[in-house]
Amino acid sequence: MDGKIFIGGGGEEYASPQGLSLTYANRHGLVAGATGTGKSVTLQIMAEGFSDAGVPVFLSDVKGDLSGLAKAGRVDHKLHDAFTARAARIGFTSYGYRAYPVTFWDLFGDQGHPVRTTVAEMGPLLLARLLELTEAQEGILNIAFRLSDEEGLPLLDLKDLQALLVWIGENRETLSLRYGNVSTASIGAIQRRLLVLENQGGTQLFGEPALMLADLMRTDADGRGQVNILAADKLMGAPGLYATFLLWLLSELFEELPEVGDPDKPKLVFFFDEAHLLFDDAPKALIDKVEQVARLIRSKGVGVYFITQNPADVPEDILGQLGNRIQHALRAFTAKDRKNLRLAAETYRENPRFSTEDAIKEVGVGEAVTSMLLDKGVPGIVERTLIRPPSSQLGPITAQDRKAHLAASDMAGKYDAPLDRKSAYEILAQRAEQAAAQAAAAEEKAEDMEPMFREFNAGRRYSGSRVSRSTSRRTKQSGGGFAEALTKNVMKELSGTTGRRIVRGILGGLFKGR
Ligand SMILES: Nc1ncnc2c1ncn2[C@@H]1O[C@H](COP(=O)(O)OP(=O)(O)OP(=O)(O)O)[C@@H](O)[C@H]1O
Ligand SMILES: [Mg+2]
């Protein structure tokens, strides 16, 4: 199995080893099958194989059962005999138990190190999708991003965006002259959508320290690839957030990684579980973009594997790009099932030994119809493959083990505490404070003038009651030159990174001319 990841045994008596070629692992793949047919275990053994080959992987763990990768399987496990028998049957002589170098991540920061990105890095297109904005609302969001750049108001977290929207509302008339109609209704709608996102836990996703991609692409001291596991059980409750986040991650990888063509082995392999969530109700424009990212990210050495119950969940253009396939059993109860089954079977190179359609119907649990890319990227003839048993623990680790693992992780402390740098929210708040101070100062000056002028000025500025002198003095001091200098400094620092980032991002760079 040189240059290949061992997947299982195919052919007569399952005696012929089936492998996934590392050279073509960046040509993407599909793991499909009805519930309980073995998708998660297949994902687990693929992650193990890549890690052993020195390839880091990123996978989302929808049911929590993939956390077992962090622990070695055990001889006292109830399936130990079944596993060893299976290994013997497929000639997997080197089979044994071992743990893998796992890093746990969690958007909510509970079950893993927090994963954050900034609003600016997410970009207007993905954010609009995340917030399910209409075209008019998306227009306003685009204006917000423009203004953030032009006015030096960095958008890091959600409160920055909120503050900027308020500011846009206040300056609506001037802005409408420049950008066309900026309606309060649209601003209000975006603000309400932001509240929904906050309630879904979006607040934690946006902010700093933002995830550094290099932290997902590490190998350990033994040269084994890091297995990054994203806790996705809670995230499933907010499918939009889940899909958008993973899409963002892909686009970041695309942006940041250098072109490598077809490397000996991938730089990173990305498993997208419950992939149908990405495509359900997705607008055509977004699907086109996923298709585009999938096509382009290949040359960056990133392999993307979609895991889903039914291959029909994946749009045809994208399905066509998934070269390495592991198809577990599909049901054939209804007419629609049978149609899907036929369609799934049609996409494979027939094996004279059996009918693909029948095989997909018949394969047992932990068995699959497989087709991997061969030399020159040609799809191999379909095989009935008994998938190898896992070396790491089957099923989840305990909450206690996870905690201990997190504490011992070399990522501990790097992302755990949020960092709230000065950005749009703070700057706008300070501007408002300064404006108030200036008004107060002007008033104070007026008080030194002739009583008549004073009355006149005060009357003009305020129709109602006036701010008392003591308050205005205090305000004036705090809004003085120091704060202004500080703002300038911070801006200088921020405009180097965030400003630039606003205009890039697939969803701003590659996806700019939508
Ligand atoms: N390759 C394998 N080797 C040994 N046992 C396996 C293998 N694949 C699956 N099994 C057995 O089948 C069970 C179900 O598999 P798995 O959890 O992977 O199904 P699934 O398709 O992910 O299901 P779901 O859709 O419910 O998530 C496993 O717990 C294990 O006992
Ligand atoms: Mg599963």
Side-chain angles (χ1 to χ4, degrees):
M1 283 274 110
D2 241 13
K4 284 187 176 175
I5 287 180
F6 179 58
I7 297 294
E12 304 277 356
E13 300 300 316
Y14 303 114
S16 142
Q18 301 295 309
L20 169 58
S21 170
L22 285 164
T23 338
Y24 298 110
N26 64 335
R27 307 274 183 105
H28 309 325
L30 175 77
V31 178
T35 171
T37 54
K39 296 184 299 298
S40 293
V41 177
T42 295
L43 191 58
Q44 186 167 352
I45 63 109
M46 286 174 87
E48 291 179 358
F50 279 119
S51 176
D52 284 332
V55 178
V57 303
F58 182 94
L59 48 92
S60 49
D61 189 7
V62 173
K63 293 187 179 160
D65 46 1
L66 292 168
S67 57
L69 276 156
K71 280 197 124 180
R74 287 156 51 139
V75 292
D76 58 1
H77 189 277
K78 64 178 191 301
L79 288 178
H80 169 71
D81 291 342
F83 285 177
T84 37
R86 182 182 279 249
R89 193 160 179 205
I90 59 176
F92 187 14
T93 47
S94 60
Y95 180 60
Y97 294 129
R98 66 191 305 196
Y100 284 79
V102 166
T103 307
F104 291 113
W105 303 95
D106 182 2
L107 257 58
F108 305 110
D110 299 330
Q111 302 186 66
H113 303 296
V115 191
R116 296 188 200 84
T117 180
T118 62
V119 170
E121 277 183 79
M122 177 71 71
L125 182 75
L126 268 188
L127 203 59
R129 147 102 172 131
L130 182 57
L131 297 171
E132 299 175 48
L133 301 186
T134 64
E135 216 167 295
Q137 294 156 5
E138 194 177 339
I140 308 260
L141 196 62
N142 280 315
I143 295 174
F145 274 77
R146 269 280 288 277
L147 285 171
S148 155
D149 240 4
E150 288 173 8
E151 300 275 323
L153 298 167
L155 293 173
L156 303 183
D157 50 26
L158 288 184
K159 71 184 188 316
D160 289 328
L161 188 55
Q162 290 279 18
L164 189 55
L165 287 170
V166 170
W167 187 80
I168 290 175
E170 286 165 359
N171 297 279
R172 202 165 57 82
E173 281 170 24
T174 339
L175 293 173
S176 289
L177 292 177
R178 247 164 83 199
Y179 299 108
N181 185 33
V182 175
S183 81
T184 39
S186 294
I187 297 175
I190 304 176
Q191 286 170 324
R192 282 190 296 278
R193 298 300 309 167
L194 278 174
L195 278 181
V196 174
L197 178 61
E198 278 175 19
N199 291 340
Q200 289 175 338
T203 320
Q204 283 135 295
L205 172 58
F206 294 101
E208 291 187 315
L211 177 70
M212 290 171 68
L213 295 180
D215 286 336
L216 299 181
M217 305 183 66
R218 294 170 307 139
T219 44
D220 72 358
D222 304 327
R224 294 202 300 163
Q226 196 69 29
V227 177
N228 298 282
I229 300 182
L230 177 76
D233 44 353
K234 195 168 142 203
L235 199 51
M236 283 302 112
L241 189 58
Y242 172 71
T244 315
F245 169 73
L246 292 183
L247 209 53
W248 164 79
L249 195 52
L250 271 185
S251 68
E252 283 294 300
L253 286 166
F254 173 78
E255 288 278 320
E256 299 219 344
L257 298 182
E259 204 65 36
V260 290
D262 274 326
D264 296 346
K265 60 184 183 193
K267 302 286 170 203
L268 180 77
V269 172
F270 195 98
F271 292 96
F272 212 134
D273 205 357
E274 301 287 342
H276 64 95
L277 291 176
L278 182 59
F279 307 115
D280 285 353
D281 309 316
K284 173 90 171 62
L286 188 86
I287 291 179
D288 288 350
K289 273 151 201 176
V290 177
E291 192 265 335
Q292 199 182 2
V293 186
R295 191 156 31 80
L296 296 172
I297 205 164
R298 222 172 82 176
S299 61
K300 308 274 176 151
V302 177
V304 183
Y305 289 72
F306 292 99
I307 295 96
T308 193
Q309 294 205 357
N310 198 321
D313 296 336
V314 183
E316 215 165 313
D317 287 347
I318 295 169
L319 200 58
Q321 288 191 53
L322 310 180
N324 300 295
R325 305 221 179 156
I326 301 184
Q327 174 69 63
H328 288 283
L330 285 179
R331 313 261 175 256
F333 299 140
T334 67
K336 191 166 172 237
D337 286 346
R338 286 190 288 276
K339 185 170 162 245
N340 282 335
L341 179 65
R342 205 162 47 242
L343 288 176
E346 266 173 18
T347 58
Y348 291 93
R349 256 179 83 190
E350 277 286 331
N351 186 325
R353 277 177 37 242
F354 57 85
S355 134
T356 311
E357 198 177 323
D358 290 345
I360 296 178
K361 222 166 20 186
E362 290 164 7
V363 284
V365 172
E367 189 185 355
V369 165
T370 60
S371 166
M372 304 294 168
L373 293 178
L374 305 175
D375 274 351
K376 302 198 173 66
V378 177
I381 287 175
V382 101
E383 270 304 341
R384 266 184 83 148
T385 302
L386 195 60
I387 307 293
R388 56 155 275 213
S391 294
S392 52
Q393 175 179 306
L394 180 82
I397 59 171
T398 63
Q400 205 176 357
D401 280 347
R402 189 189 282 264
K403 225 173 168 176
H405 192 93
L406 278 173
S409 156
D410 47 5
M411 288 293 113
K414 180 164 181 182
Y415 295 104
D416 296 345
L419 178 81
D420 198 3
R421 274 204 294 172
K422 189 162 208 162
S423 47
Y425 171 80
E426 290 81 6
I427 294 167
L428 287 170
Q430 192 175 43
R431 275 197 203 169
E433 195 183 300
Q434 274 171 4
Q438 269 163 18
E443 188 194 345
E444 193 179 323
K445 206 165 136 200
E447 282 176 25
D448 296 335
M449 290 187 218
E450 287 292 323
M452 193 178 75
F453 284 116
R454 185 177 69 211
E455 287 311 312
F456 175 75
N457 266 343
R460 198 178 50 179
R461 203 172 306 278
Y462 303 109
S463 47
S465 62
R466 287 168 21 192
V467 184
S468 81
R469 270 194 81 177
S470 61
T471 321
S472 62
R473 277 231 175 89
R474 230 187 356 252
T475 322
K476 189 184 161 200
Q477 271 160 11
S478 69
F482 171 70
E484 207 171 311
L486 184 72
T487 314
K488 279 202 186 112
N489 260 339
V490 173
M491 283 320 303
K492 221 184 290 163
E493 185 196 329
L494 284 178
S495 56
T497 52
T498 321
R500 214 170 350 101
R501 285 187 158 172
I502 289 169
V503 278
R504 37 144 253 172
I506 214 168
L507 310 144
L510 172 66
F511 287 178
K512 193 159 49 183
R514 0 184 281 114

